[in-house]
């Protein structure tokens, strides 16, 4: 069976399982949580989604194959959607252009490589002179590197799903993984950026300013291309208030002072325009109070809350009316009735 026939078979199968009323209910529940209304039941998502699904008949392709073929990427992206419509937890039905963390670095002029099975790896620039050349070149075209591939793939998704009325209405396309400004700078520059915080901070700020403006231009075009707005959108397994999900994985390696100089202002420049949430991996105890007070921030996703001071994480987010996304149910305290999306 060729890929066109496989696609038609499984999209037809998924179309039959879509429950638009349930999806509308899910969105309304998230809206209430982001409004910090008291809930009888906090929304939750199941971590073992595939295990809970009764029908597991859905194709899966190796990452390198999907990287080269948008039909295979679409089917891989819809795999969890297929399981979600069976399990009926509180996750939106969504997909993305799955080109990994190297999208914005590639737009900026960085290179990357594919391995046999994993997402692309970024190659760092070789010297500070190369960083200066990127800065001197000015604002890049957002179709550079993998930029155009993202828009072409999103266009393919929309065209393909347009033949299926329920899928067209229920499945959203969320913005690609553009990381956060400092994460992108780290991917481009490599480990030497940590030394440059001390011996060449002006160069770091110049690069961060250029990355932030490039990020802004990409997102503006994305929002005009995917008419989702910035009010209420989806990202990963969540609805979010706002239109952007920033990543601050590198930021946890900085001091609070460095975070507030080199990370927070650039995050806020994007959050103030688009509104949204911040993700970080690892331990962010030293940043969480400051991060939670960021302008334009509506949610935080800590992917490893067990590495953090849970009481501090909860108090920082609750006090600032920032929703905590994806908290394991075992960490929930009895006094919290809203502002949390649980993982079970």
């Amino acid at each position: 069976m060729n890929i066109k026939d496989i696609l038609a078979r499984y999209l037809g199968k998924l179309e039959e399982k879509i429950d638009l009323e349930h999806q509308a209910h899910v969105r309304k529940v998230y809206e209430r949580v982001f409004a910090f209304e008291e809930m009888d039941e906090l929304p939750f998502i199941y971590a073992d989604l595939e295990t809970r699904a009764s029908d597991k008949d859905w194709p899966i392709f190796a990452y390198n194959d999907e990287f080269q073929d948008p039909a295979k990427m679409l089917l891989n992206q819809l795999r969890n959607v297929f399981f979600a419509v069976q399990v009926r937890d509180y996750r939106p039905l969504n997909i993305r252009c799955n080109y990994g963390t190297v999208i914005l670095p590639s737009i900026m002029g960085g290179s990357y490589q594919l391995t046999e099975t994993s997402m692309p790896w970024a190659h760092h620039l070789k010297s500070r002179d190369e960083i200066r050349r990127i800065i001197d070149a000015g604002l890049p075209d957002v179709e550079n590197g993998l930029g155009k591939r993202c828009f072409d793939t999103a266009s393919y998704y929309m065209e393909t799903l347009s033949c299926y009325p329920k899928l067209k209405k229920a499945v959203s396309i969320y913005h690609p993984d553009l990381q956060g400004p400092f994460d992108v700078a780290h991917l481009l520059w490599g480990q030497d950026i940590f030394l440059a915080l001390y011996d060449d901070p002006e160069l770091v700020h110049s690069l961060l300013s250029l990355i932030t403006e490039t990020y802004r231009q990409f997102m503006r075009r994305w929002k005009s291309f995917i008419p989702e707005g910035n009010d209420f959108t989806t990202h990963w397994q969540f609805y979010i208030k706002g239109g952007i999900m920033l990543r601050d994985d590198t930021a946890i390696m900085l001091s609070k002072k460095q975070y507030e100089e080199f990370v927070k202002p650039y995050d806020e420049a994007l959050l103030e325009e688009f509104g949204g949430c911040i993700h970080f991996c690892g331990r962010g105890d030293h940043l969480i109070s400051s991060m939670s007070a960021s302008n334009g921030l509506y949610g935080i996703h800590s992917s490893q809350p067990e590495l953090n001071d849970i009481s501090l994480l909860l108090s920082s987010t609750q006090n600032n009316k920032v929703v905590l996304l994806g908290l394991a149910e075992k960490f929930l305290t009895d006094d919290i009735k809203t502002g949390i999306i649980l993982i079970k």
Side-chain angles (χ1 to χ4, degrees), residues 30 45 92 94 233-240 301 325-326 341:
Y30 272 86
I45 56 174
N94 59 6
T233 59
T234 74
H235 207 91
W236 294 321
Q237 61 268 55
F238 310 108
Y239 274 105
I240 63 171
H301 179 243
L325 302 164
I341 311 299

Side-chain angles (χ1 to χ4, degrees), residues 78-121:
L78 288 172
R79 183 177 176 83
N80 274 349
V81 172
F82 177 65
F83 299 142
V85 295
Q86 299 175 64
V87 172
R88 295 170 65 87
D89 60 3
Y90 288 88
R91 71 178 66 216
L93 306 182
N94 59 6
I95 58 179
R96 74 174 182 180
C97 304
N98 193 35
Y99 297 107
T101 63
V102 301
I103 296 167
L104 196 49
S106 77
I107 291 172
M108 304 289 299
S111 61
Y112 62 89
Q113 72 178 62
L114 290 173
T115 62
E116 290 186 5
T117 58
S118 66
M119 305 285 277
W121 286 80

Side-chain angles (χ1 to χ4, degrees), residues 145-177:
L146 289 169
K148 185 176 187 301
R149 182 87 71 91
C150 289
F151 289 103
D152 288 347
T153 299
S155 180
Y156 171 80
Y157 286 174
M158 290 188 289
E159 180 181 357
T160 302
L161 296 181
S162 68
C163 300
Y164 302 87
K166 290 182 181 178
L167 289 173
K168 179 182 178 181
K169 185 171 184 178
V171 177
S172 60
I173 306 171
Y174 63 96
H175 74 76
D177 183 355

Side-chain angles (χ1 to χ4, degrees), residues 301-341:
H301 179 243
S302 170
S303 61
Q304 297 165 298
E306 69 277 4
L307 300 181
N308 292 265
D309 180 335
I310 296 296
S311 62
L312 178 62
L313 186 61
L314 289 170
S315 63
S316 296
T317 50
Q318 290 278 308
N319 291 343
N320 286 284
K321 295 292 191 290
V322 169
V323 172
L324 187 55
L325 302 164
L327 182 71
E329 190 175 26
K330 65 182 179 181
F331 294 126
L332 185 66
T333 56
D334 292 338
D335 59 313
I336 295 180
K337 304 298 183 182
T338 191
I340 303 281
I341 311 299

Side-chain angles (χ1 to χ4, degrees), residues 57-240:
D57 175 31
W58 194 269
I60 188 168
F61 301 94
Y63 180 75
N64 281 8
D65 291 337
E66 76 164 89
F67 188 89
Q68 305 298 342
D69 187 338
K72 292 177 180 178
M73 183 173 284
L74 176 57
L75 283 165
N76 275 359
Q77 286 290 298
L78 288 172
R79 183 177 176 83
N80 274 349
V81 172
F82 177 65
F83 299 142
V85 295
Q86 299 175 64
V87 172
R88 295 170 65 87
D89 60 3
Y90 288 88
R91 71 178 66 216
L93 306 182
N94 59 6
I95 58 179
R96 74 174 182 180
C97 304
N98 193 35
Y99 297 107
T101 63
V102 301
I103 296 167
L104 196 49
S106 77
I107 291 172
M108 304 289 299
S111 61
Y112 62 89
Q113 72 178 62
L114 290 173
T115 62
E116 290 186 5
T117 58
S118 66
M119 305 285 277
W121 286 80
H123 289 161
H124 305 316
L125 298 176
K126 296 179 180 179
S127 69
R128 295 188 186 184
D129 285 340
E130 291 191 22
I131 296 294
R132 292 185 183 95
R133 281 195 287 272
I134 283 181
I135 294 168
D136 291 343
L139 197 66
D141 188 332
V142 296
E143 289 198 351
N144 286 354
L146 289 169
K148 185 176 187 301
R149 182 87 71 91
C150 289
F151 289 103
D152 288 347
T153 299
S155 180
Y156 171 80
Y157 286 174
M158 290 188 289
E159 180 181 357
T160 302
L161 296 181
S162 68
C163 300
Y164 302 87
K166 290 182 181 178
L167 289 173
K168 179 182 178 181
K169 185 171 184 178
V171 177
S172 60
I173 306 171
Y174 63 96
H175 74 76
D177 183 355
L178 303 183
Q179 293 290 290
F182 195 85
D183 279 26
V184 174
H186 181 208
L187 288 169
L188 282 169
W189 197 324
Q191 310 296 38
D192 182 57
I193 195 171
F194 297 109
L195 297 177
L197 298 179
Y198 296 95
D199 63 26
D200 206 345
E202 290 185 5
L203 187 62
V204 178
H205 281 298
S206 294
L207 180 62
L208 287 168
S209 295
L210 180 61
I211 290 170
T212 302
E213 188 56 34
T214 305
Y215 204 136
R216 186 196 313 277
Q217 294 304 319
F218 185 100
M219 287 299 295
R220 285 177 177 173
R221 179 165 176 189
W222 182 263
K223 295 297 180 177
S224 65
F225 192 75
I226 304 291
E228 64 176 0
N230 294 309
D231 181 27
F232 220 76
T233 59
T234 74
H235 207 91
W236 294 321
Q237 61 268 55
F238 310 108
Y239 274 105
I240 63 171

